[in-house]
Structures are given as structure tokens and as C-alpha cells.
């Protein structure tokens, strides 16, 4: 990674009770602001997309794209077909320009969302400064961008495979971080090298971080320039724990082996083939091929037991919300839900199991990613639509999380200015047929990807 790269350092905050109350209030206000702003932008989005010229442009883009793809699939390409393809691409670009002009008319851009946020942030300025509000506006814009990407993909899927994406509101306690855009106002981190103390300031709140116990890696990271700060929270055993996330400029500090003094996370040499499936990763190198299962041990029995206890407690405390046959009543007939102390205790235990599973999976994938990058310096992998697989496989692929592993490997390779070369199945399938290789033969497929 070049000197203009970015990386994150997370440090725990030691909070007092009154500070926790203020932080909880600010996160609650952040959720409220996001939901109000999202509601406003949704109305504007539907006003924009219901225009006739917008819908006609989208329909034309779909038809032109299908025609271009059919021409590209032809094995014998004449001059006429190439010229026709170029003409179709020009027409498609005109339609993209038409959509861009409509979006410009509605001020539909990241900057436009920031301007719209000015109407809402005044009420929250005592708790959320302008940078944090603008960051929430950017998150909202990113949510619409992701939705639009999936809507485009949905146009070419069958009715059974459609995802039907939409933007989500923030549920209670779902907002996990509040972020600024620079380290001069709002959330600030001040480092005192002499006293080895870090001071976090945020609109009347101050947190002191003792850096005498920090590791060599953390101390080296703190010498880098701080771009901006974020306050992050995580619920552990039913209580919120708060952290300061520093986004730092530059290269990630090197880690050394204490026993040998050698650098950790070094790249190897040679070509590497990575074959991702929904539950495993097969790595092919010059030394051999190995398959790693990605699924971790799940505590399904304990989860089922807790869910049954929660259901029994909920039924006992809310008998009026259920019919005689045991089914729950319609939403319009339910006045509210009351939860006992036992129910809340079971819910905390269940959440803790999910949290530990997530942390365990993340740790194992970090270790596996380190092994992968040490096996070579040229990486090829199969291209997969993980979101599409998640819809069809659901819990199976969610337990393994191959997409998260791939992102981890890409992040670690980016520190060495190396990227993964993705190979689509349109290019791989002819080779599989020629070599008479099945996709279930993991080692053979990974070896072919390595030699691609």
C-alpha cells in the first residue's frame, strides 16, 4: 500500500456511568436522525424513479445490454457485428447520460445528500455535530447505491431468483458507530507522547486512555497521522462497551516474530489458485493443494433451548396476543408486548452466543488469510455472486462466510500492492469441459485456476 493508504486502530474506552448514559442518548439520536433522513430521501427517490423518461431510459438500457451481450457471445465476429456493438454502446451511454441528468435535477448525489442533511441536523447539534450528521447522510446514500446495484442485477434474473432489494431503517440499538470526517472538531483524539496518555474529546465528554500498557504495534500506529475518529459500541454480556476507532494514514506497521525477529505476514513466491465454494476454500500452490472448511462449530442445541425458553416466557406474559390454537394474532389486534426478566436474561445469553461465534469466525479467517498470502505473490480465484448464493443457501453460507474471507485476503494483500485476479465461469467452463473436470473436484479445479 502506498503512503496514502488507510488503516484502523481500535482502543477501548474507560467510561463512567454518566458518560455511558450520554453516549447511549447520542446513539439513540443518531438512529432517529438516520431514519428521518432516510424517509425523506425515499420519498424523493420514488418521485425521481416514477418519471416516464427515467423508466424509459432504464428499459432501453436493459434491452441494449442484452443485445450487446448476445453479440459478444458470437464466436465469429465480423466488422458489421463489431460496428453494431459500438453503435449499441453509444446509444446505451446516451441513456446513462439521461439518467445522470435526471439525478442531477433531483440533486441525487453524495454532495446533494449532505446539503439535504442541513434541514435536519440543527435540532441535534447539541449532541451530534455537523460532521457526524454528514457521515450519516453518506451512509444513507451508500445504502441507496447498493439497492440500485441489486435492482440492475434483478432485471436479468428469473422471477424465482429475484432479490427485490430495498433500503433498511435502523432498528433500536442497531447503530454501532458514530464517525466524524477529521480530527480537528467533533470526535478528537489527542496524543501526549511524554505522559503516554491519549485523550478523547467529544462535545463535553472526555476519556483518558492509558497507553503504557499498549503493544508495540499500537504505539507505532499512533505515530501515524490521524485522519478521523469514530466512537464504536459493542454489547457484551448485556452491557454496552465503547471503543475509539482511529483511521490512520499510511502503511500498517510491520509485526515481528519475538523469537526469530523475522517479519510476519510476508508474501511468498509463485502462483496461487483460490477456489471458493459456499462452505470451503481450496488453495493450490506449487507445493500442493489443501482444502480448508470454513464452517465453525455452532451451538445449535443451546440456541434451540434458549429460543424455546424465550417463546414459553413470551407466551406466559402475553396470553392475550395469541389465539386458542397457539398462533399469534394479527398485528392490528396486538396492543403491545411485555417481557419478563427471565426472557431478557435468555435474550442476553442468546446474543452472547452469536457474538462469540462471530468473533471466533473472524479470528479463524484472519489466521487463514495470513497462511494464504504467505503461499505466493500472484493470486487467481473464481468469481462468485455471494449475495445470490446467500439468498439460495441462507444459513449454510452465512455460517461459512466465504465473502468475508475473500475481503480479508484482499485487504491483507493490499498492504503489499497485490490484488486477486477474478476469473469468471464463462472462461472457466470451457476449460472444465476440455479437461473433463467437475466443479466438485476441488483440488483439480483449484489447480486449473492457478495455471490460468
Amino acid at each position: 500500500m502506498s503512503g496514502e493508504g488507510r488503516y484502523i486502530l481500535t482502543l477501548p474506552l474507560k467510561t463512567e456511568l454518566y458518560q455511558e448514559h450520554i453516549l447511549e442518548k447520542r446513539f439513540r439520536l443518531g438512529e432517529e436522525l438516520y431514519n428521518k433522513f432516510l424517509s425523506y430521501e425515499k420519498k424523493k427517490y420514488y418521485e425521481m424513479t416514477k418519471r416516464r423518461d427515467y423508466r424509459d431510459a432504464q428499459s432501453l438500457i436493459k434491452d441494449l445490454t442484452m443485445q450487446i451481450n448476445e453479440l459478444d457471445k458470437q464466436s465469429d465476429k465480423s466488422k458489421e457485428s463489431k460496428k453494431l456493438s459500438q453503435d449499441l454502446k453509444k446509444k446505451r451511454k446516451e441513456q446513462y447520460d439521461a439518467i445522470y441528468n435526471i439525478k442531477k435535477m433531483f440533486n441525487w448525489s453524495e454532495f446533494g445528500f449532505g446539503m439535504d442533511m442541513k434541514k435536519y441536523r440543527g435540532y441535534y447539534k447539541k449532541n451530534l455535530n455537523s460532521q457526524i450528521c454528514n457521515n450519516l447522510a453518506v451512509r444513507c446514500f451508500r445504502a441507496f447505491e447498493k439497492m440500485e446495484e441489486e435492482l440492475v442485477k434483478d432485471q436479468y434474473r428469473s422471477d424465482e431468483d429475484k432479490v427485490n432489494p430495498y433500503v433498511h431503517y435502523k432498528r433500536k440499538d442497531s447503530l454501532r458507530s458514530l464517525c466524524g470526517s477529521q480530527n480537528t472538531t467533533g470526535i478528537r483524539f489527542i496524543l501526549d507522547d511524554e505522559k503516554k496518555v491519549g485523550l478523547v474529546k467529544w462535545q463535553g465528554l472526555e476519556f483518558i486512555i492509558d497507553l503504557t500498557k499498549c503493544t508495540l504495534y499500537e504505539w507505532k500506529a499512533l505515530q501515524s497521522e490521524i485522519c478521523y475518529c469514530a466512537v464504536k459500541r459493542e454489547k457484551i454480556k448485556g452491557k454496552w462497551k465503547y471503543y475509539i476507532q482511529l483511521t490512520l494514514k499510511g502503511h500498517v506497521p510491520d509485526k515481528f516474530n519475538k523469537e526469530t525477529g523475522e517479519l510476519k505476514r510476508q508474501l511468498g513466491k509463485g502462483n496461487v489458485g483460490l477456489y471458493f465454494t459456499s462452505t470451503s476454500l481450496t488453495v493450490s500452490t506449487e507445493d500442493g493443494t489443501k482444502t480448508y472448511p470454513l464452517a465453525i462449530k455452532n451451538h445449535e442445541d443451546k440456541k434451540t433451548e434458549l429460543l424455546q425458553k424465550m417463546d414459553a416466557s413470551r407466551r406466559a406474559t402475553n396470553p392475550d396476543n395469541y389465539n386458542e390454537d397457539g398462533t399469534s394474532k394479527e398485528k392490528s389486534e396486538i396492543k403491545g408486548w411485555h417481557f419478563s426478566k427471565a426472557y431478557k436474561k435468555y435474550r442476553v445469553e442468546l446474543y452472547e452466543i452469536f457474538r462469540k461465534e462471530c468473533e471466533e469466525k473472524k479470528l479463524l479467517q484472519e489466521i487463514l488469510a495470513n497462511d494464504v498470502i504467505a503461499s505466493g505473490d500472484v493470486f487467481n480465484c473464481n468469481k462468485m455472486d455471494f449475495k445470490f448464493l446467500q439468498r439460495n443457501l441462507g444459513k449454510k453460507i452465512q455460517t461459512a462466510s466465504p465473502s468475508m474471507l475473500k475481503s480479508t485476503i484482499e485487504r491483507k494483500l493490499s498492504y503489499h500492492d497485490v490484488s486477486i485476479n477474478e476469473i469468471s465461469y464463462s472462461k472457466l467452463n470451457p476449460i472444465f469441459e476440455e479437461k473433463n473436470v467437475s466443479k466438485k473436484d476441488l483440488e483439480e479445479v483449484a489447480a486449473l485456476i492457478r495455471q490460468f
Side-chain angles (χ1 to χ4, degrees), residues 292-350:
Y292 299 90
L294 301 182
I296 62 169
K297 181 182 177 182
N298 285 329
H299 305 82
E300 292 300 329
D301 294 339
K302 183 64 176 176
K303 289 180 192 174
T304 304
E305 180 185 351
L306 287 171
L307 287 169
Q308 289 174 350
K309 288 180 178 179
M310 288 170 65
D311 184 63
S313 175
R314 187 169 58 244
R315 288 175 181 274
T317 53
N318 301 276
D320 297 335
N321 293 343
Y322 293 90
N323 298 315
E324 293 181 359
D325 58 355
T327 59
S328 60
K329 293 182 179 179
E330 297 292 333
K331 287 185 178 180
S332 57
E333 300 177 10
I334 297 175
K335 295 181 180 179
W337 292 93
H338 303 281
F339 302 115
S340 64
K341 290 182 179 179
Y343 178 91
K344 293 176 181 178
K345 178 185 174 183
Y346 299 144
R347 185 171 58 186
V348 168
E349 290 180 18
L350 182 64

Side-chain angles (χ1 to χ4, degrees), residues 427-444:
K427 296 180 181 178
L428 288 172
N429 286 333
I431 299 174
F432 292 162
E433 293 177 2
E434 182 183 346
K435 301 285 185 180
N436 195 20
V437 174
S438 172
K439 292 181 182 178
K440 294 181 180 180
D441 300 330
L442 304 180
E443 294 184 359
E444 293 184 20

Side-chain angles (χ1 to χ4, degrees), residues 14 54 61 100 131 133 141 158 164 246 258-259 262 264 270 294 302 322 337 342 351 402 420 441:
K14 189 176 180 180
Y54 185 95
I61 288 171
Y100 173 78
Q131 291 186 5
C133 295
F141 181 71
S158 61
N164 298 321
L246 307 177
K258 293 181 180 179
E259 297 177 356
E262 295 179 352
K264 292 183 178 180
L294 301 182
K302 183 64 176 176
Y322 293 90
W337 292 93
Y351 183 87
I420 300 177
D441 300 330

Side-chain angles (χ1 to χ4, degrees), residues 31 35 169-175:
E31 293 169 354
N35 289 338
Y169 289 98
K170 294 289 184 186
R171 292 179 298 175
K172 185 181 179 182
D173 295 339
S174 63
L175 184 64

Side-chain angles (χ1 to χ4, degrees), residues 83-99:
K83 186 179 179 181
L84 179 58
S85 179
Q86 290 177 357
D87 293 339
L88 291 174
K89 287 179 181 178
K90 286 181 181 179
K91 290 181 180 179
R92 186 174 64 177
K93 186 180 180 303
E94 291 175 0
Q95 300 305 316
Y96 278 124
D97 291 339
I99 290 177

Side-chain angles (χ1 to χ4, degrees), residues 247-386:
T247 300
L248 304 161
K249 186 182 292 185
H251 192 283
V252 177
D254 294 322
K255 287 186 178 181
F256 295 89
N257 191 323
K258 293 181 180 179
E259 297 177 356
T260 62
E262 295 179 352
L263 277 171
K264 292 183 178 180
R265 296 187 307 205
Q266 283 184 302
L267 282 179
K269 290 186 178 180
N271 292 356
V272 181
L274 305 176
Y275 181 45
F276 289 92
T277 66
S278 58
T279 57
S280 66
L281 169 65
T282 305
V283 182
S284 176
T285 63
E286 295 176 359
D287 298 330
T289 307
K290 189 174 181 181
T291 300
Y292 299 90
L294 301 182
I296 62 169
K297 181 182 177 182
N298 285 329
H299 305 82
E300 292 300 329
D301 294 339
K302 183 64 176 176
K303 289 180 192 174
T304 304
E305 180 185 351
L306 287 171
L307 287 169
Q308 289 174 350
K309 288 180 178 179
M310 288 170 65
D311 184 63
S313 175
R314 187 169 58 244
R315 288 175 181 274
T317 53
N318 301 276
D320 297 335
N321 293 343
Y322 293 90
N323 298 315
E324 293 181 359
D325 58 355
T327 59
S328 60
K329 293 182 179 179
E330 297 292 333
K331 287 185 178 180
S332 57
E333 300 177 10
I334 297 175
K335 295 181 180 179
W337 292 93
H338 303 281
F339 302 115
S340 64
K341 290 182 179 179
Y343 178 91
K344 293 176 181 178
K345 178 185 174 183
Y346 299 144
R347 185 171 58 186
V348 168
E349 290 180 18
L350 182 64
Y351 183 87
E352 190 66 12
I353 290 173
F354 281 113
R355 188 190 67 81
K356 286 182 178 179
E357 286 180 351
C358 184
E359 290 295 327
E360 181 186 355
K361 178 168 60 178
K362 186 178 179 181
L363 177 61
L364 292 174
Q365 292 199 353
E366 290 282 341
I367 295 170
L368 176 54
N370 286 336
D371 292 340
V372 169
I373 68 171
S375 59
D377 55 357
V378 179
F379 296 85
N380 297 331
C381 80
N382 57 316
K383 188 174 183 179
M384 294 185 70
D385 188 351
F386 292 110

Side-chain angles (χ1 to χ4, degrees), residues 7 56 140 143 152 158 174 183 204 222 240 299 320 331 444:
Y7 65 101
D56 289 344
C140 188
V152 170
S158 61
S174 63
N183 194 37
L222 288 171
W240 288 112
H299 305 82
D320 297 335
K331 287 185 178 180
E444 293 184 20

